[in-house]
């Protein structure tokens, strides 16, 4: 009897990539749990990366607080933690390569000159000297970037007007988020990204960079952003409070309700491990489809 080889199933690699600008609030844990469940329900890997490049915004103790919150909830990640601050040489090498290929140019436009989200390309032909304080922008073109978000559907119109030469290295020498995230996701072989809808407008820029660098584009699932009853996004800027994870079951139950997974009431008494096992088995990301915000109580 002949045996049929099973087709090679690609391992799903997801990740959670918080910035250490403060402890995790309900909104960030909501995204963390969604990305964890999405990876785990497909027997995938779930990586943790600390996006700590924006040093003026980093807060002492934030990374430790983030790690202990995830551990308390039983959201165990695979492999070593990646720190963007340790990848600066890799980013610079790729910037140098793009520079040699004339994809980058120096720009000294102040915020005052810039209006709205599009950049006029004013510095494209100014050829500023290297010694002059400058940011680096990548040249873009008018071709639309379109993609299908697994939760939000076809995304195209959001960008065409907004996609313009964008900054890949800031004037203060900090590598821009858009650039670092693309390099890291590629180096870590991330092929499925679950994150908040607040980053939906960044995604076309990232896809543009992936195409420029010849990287594959991961699958995206942008989950709703939690907002407060006044309509403001829960964020460190709006002083969203850190979640007390000393009672992990209660936190997980609340998060699962917010993620519209309808955990059965008797699970309120369950341990965190039991709740996560239930959630992995029952994970229905489609419950979040076509919603960009969700009001937290
Ligand atoms: N570090 C980013 C943040 O905390 C998220 C990066 C990403 O998911 O692409 O907002």
């Amino acid at each position: 009897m002949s045996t049929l080889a099973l087709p090679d199933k690609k391992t799903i690699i997801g990740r959670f990539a918080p910035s250490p600008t403060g402890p995790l609030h309900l909104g960030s844990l909501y995204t963390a749990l969604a990305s964890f469940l999405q990876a785990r329900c497909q027997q995938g890997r779930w990586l943790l990366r600390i996006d700590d490049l924006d040093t003026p915004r980093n807060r002492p103790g934030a990374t430790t607080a983030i790690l202990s919150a995830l551990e308390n909830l039983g959201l165990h990640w695979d492999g070593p933690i990646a720190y963007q601050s340790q990848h600066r040489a890799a980013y610079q090498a790729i910037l140098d390569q793009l520079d040699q290929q004339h994809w980058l140019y120096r720009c000294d436009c102040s915020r005052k000159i810039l209006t709205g989200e599009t950049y006029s390309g004013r510095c494209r032909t100014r050829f500023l000297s290297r010694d002059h304080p400058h940011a680096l922008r990548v040249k873009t073109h008018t071709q639309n970037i379109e993609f299908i978000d697994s939760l939000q559907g076809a995304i195209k119109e959001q960008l065409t007007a907004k996609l313009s030469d964008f900054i890949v290295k800031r004037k203060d020498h900090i590598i821009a988020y858009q650039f670092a995230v693309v390099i890291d996701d590629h180096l870590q072989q991330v092929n499925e990204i679950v994150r908040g809808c607040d980053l939906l407008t960044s995604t076309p820029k990232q896809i543009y960079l992936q195409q420029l660098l010849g990287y594959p584009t991961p699958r995206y699932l942008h989950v709703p952003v939690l907002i407060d009853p006044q309509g403001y996004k829960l964020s460190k800027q709006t002083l969203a409070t850190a979640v007390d994870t000393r009672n992990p079951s209660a936190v997980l139950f609340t998060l699962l309700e917010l993620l519209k997974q309808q955990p059965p009431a008797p699970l309120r008494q369950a341990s965190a491990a039991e709740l996560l096992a239930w959630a992995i088995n029952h994970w229905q990301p489609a419950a979040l489809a076509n919603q960009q915000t969700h009001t937290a109580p």
Side-chain angles (χ1 to χ4, degrees):
M1 205 169 77
S2 69
T3 49
L4 275 180
L6 287 172
D8 230 8
K9 205 172 156 269
K10 195 160 94 170
T11 306
I12 295 294
I13 305 181
R15 49 68 161 178
F16 178 53
S19 305
T21 51
L24 295 178
H25 53 76
L26 202 62
S28 18
L29 281 176
Y30 177 89
T31 311
L33 181 57
S35 77
F36 173 88
L37 294 174
Q38 178 66 15
R40 292 294 188 235
C41 81
Q42 301 173 87
Q43 292 82 45
R45 289 170 59 73
W46 189 64
L47 311 181
L48 177 62
R49 190 179 71 228
I50 303 294
D51 285 358
D52 56 354
L53 286 179
D54 196 351
T55 40
R57 291 184 62 227
N58 291 347
R59 289 288 159 267
T63 299
T64 313
I66 290 171
L67 301 185
S68 69
L70 295 175
E71 273 167 352
N72 286 350
L73 294 180
L75 302 181
H76 302 300
W77 56 89
D78 293 309
I81 303 169
Y83 291 86
Q84 287 196 318
S85 56
Q86 293 172 2
H87 302 167
R88 289 195 180 100
Y91 307 135
Q92 191 56 52
I94 297 165
L95 281 177
D96 291 345
Q97 175 199 320
L98 288 177
D99 196 28
Q100 277 157 19
Q101 296 165 346
H102 307 289
W103 280 108
L104 306 184
Y105 64 90
R106 294 182 279 279
C107 169
D108 68 349
C109 291
S110 66
R111 275 175 202 269
K112 269 191 221 143
I113 297 182
L114 307 172
T115 47
E117 285 202 51
T118 38
Y119 177 65
S120 65
R122 174 177 175 265
C123 285
R124 260 197 194 205
T125 49
R126 288 179 67 220
F127 306 107
L128 294 175
S129 117
R130 281 181 195 278
D131 312 329
H132 186 82
H134 62 267
L136 282 178
R137 285 186 188 268
V138 62
K139 291 178 196 168
T140 56
H141 45 70
T142 49
Q143 186 191 316
N144 293 349
I145 302 277
E146 298 178 8
F147 71 103
I148 309 278
D149 184 273
S150 299
L151 290 179
Q152 306 299 331
I155 307 291
K156 45 187 165 189
E157 72 290 83
Q158 260 133 326
L159 329 169
T160 39
K162 289 181 187 163
L163 183 69
S164 59
D165 299 352
F166 57 91
I167 291 182
V168 287
K169 188 173 183 180
R170 298 171 8 184
K171 223 187 221 170
D172 57 7
H173 308 295
I174 291 178
I175 303 285
Y177 156 72
Q178 309 291 3
F179 189 75
V181 76
V182 166
I183 308 302
D184 281 322
D185 286 333
H186 179 66
L187 292 177
Q188 295 182 286
Q189 297 180 292
V190 170
N191 51 24
E192 199 176 69
I193 295 181
V194 178
R195 60 185 180 189
C197 270
D198 50 332
L199 292 170
L200 200 50
T201 52
S202 289
T203 307
K205 295 189 180 83
Q206 294 170 19
I207 293 177
Y208 177 78
L209 285 174
Q210 289 154 6
Q211 292 177 352
L212 194 61
L213 292 163
Y215 298 167
T217 290
R219 189 145 59 119
Y220 289 97
L221 289 86
H222 285 87
V223 297
V225 165
L226 285 191
I227 54 173
D228 65 20
Q230 284 73 42
Y232 292 105
K233 178 191 160 209
L234 298 194
S235 72
K236 289 146 201 161
Q237 286 75 23
T238 57
L239 302 179
T241 46
V243 176
D244 181 349
T245 50
R246 281 172 302 181
N247 182 356
S249 304
V251 176
L252 285 171
F253 196 90
T254 303
L255 288 170
L256 289 171
E257 284 186 318
L258 289 170
L259 287 166
K260 307 201 172 163
Q261 300 302 299
Q262 304 181 321
L267 278 184
R268 278 189 193 279
Q269 320 309 330
S271 68
E274 285 165 338
L275 263 170
L276 284 178
W278 178 89
I280 292 168
N281 277 330
H282 294 84
W283 174 236
Q284 293 289 350
L288 305 170
N290 302 316
Q291 298 150 60
Q292 299 207 357
T293 55
H294 183 61
T295 309

